Every structure is written in C-alpha cells, then in structure tokens.
C-alpha cells in the first residue's frame, strides 16, 4: 500500500464526505484494517428491508 484510501462522496448532488481518509475495510464489528487484495467488485446493500426492492441508478465510478 502506498497510502491510505481517500474518498469524496456526493449524495443527491450534496457533498457528504470530502477527501475522507479510510482506515481500512468497513467491517460490521471491530476496528477497520487493511488487508492485501486485488481488484474487487463494489457491492451495494439493502439490509434486508421488507419494502419493495431497492434500486440504484446514476452511480459513477472513476478509476484513479
């Protein structure tokens, strides 16, 4: 790893995170930590909500 991951997030055109430093994997329990891996998919989660299926649109990913 050359440097910790950083993220800038817009939600509905509103800036919610600006150049935030991530300290590792976003685990359910425990302190985040980095572990070596290759390219992996981005996963979006609905948390088992009993409402109608959740959909996502206009998600833009830019490789750095």
């Amino acid at each position: 790893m050359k440097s910790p991951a950083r993220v800038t997030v817009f939600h509905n055109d509103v800036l919610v995170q600006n150049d935030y430093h991530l300290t590792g994997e976003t685990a359910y329990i425990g302190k985040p930590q980095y572990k070596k891996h290759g390219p992996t998919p981005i996963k979006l989660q609905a948390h088992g909500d009993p409402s109608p299926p959740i959909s996502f649109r206009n998600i833009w990913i830019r490789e750095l």
Side-chain angles (χ1 to χ4, degrees):
M1 178 173 80
K2 293 181 181 179
S3 64
R6 299 155 74 130
V7 64
T8 297
V9 178
F10 286 88
H11 181 73
N12 294 332
D13 290 329
V14 176
L15 178 65
V16 293
Q17 295 289 341
N18 187 20
D19 198 30
Y20 181 79
H21 292 252
L22 300 174
T23 57
E25 177 182 357
T26 53
Y28 172 64
I29 296 175
K31 182 179 176 185
Q33 61 184 6
Y34 284 107
K35 54 187 168 183
K36 189 172 182 171
H37 62 81
T40 59
I42 293 174
K43 299 177 182 180
L44 303 173
Q45 186 173 348
H47 298 285
D49 189 341
S51 65
I54 297 171
S55 63
F56 301 92
R57 62 180 182 175
N58 297 330
I59 296 174
W60 294 37
I61 309 291
R62 293 187 297 177
E63 188 170 343
L64 302 176

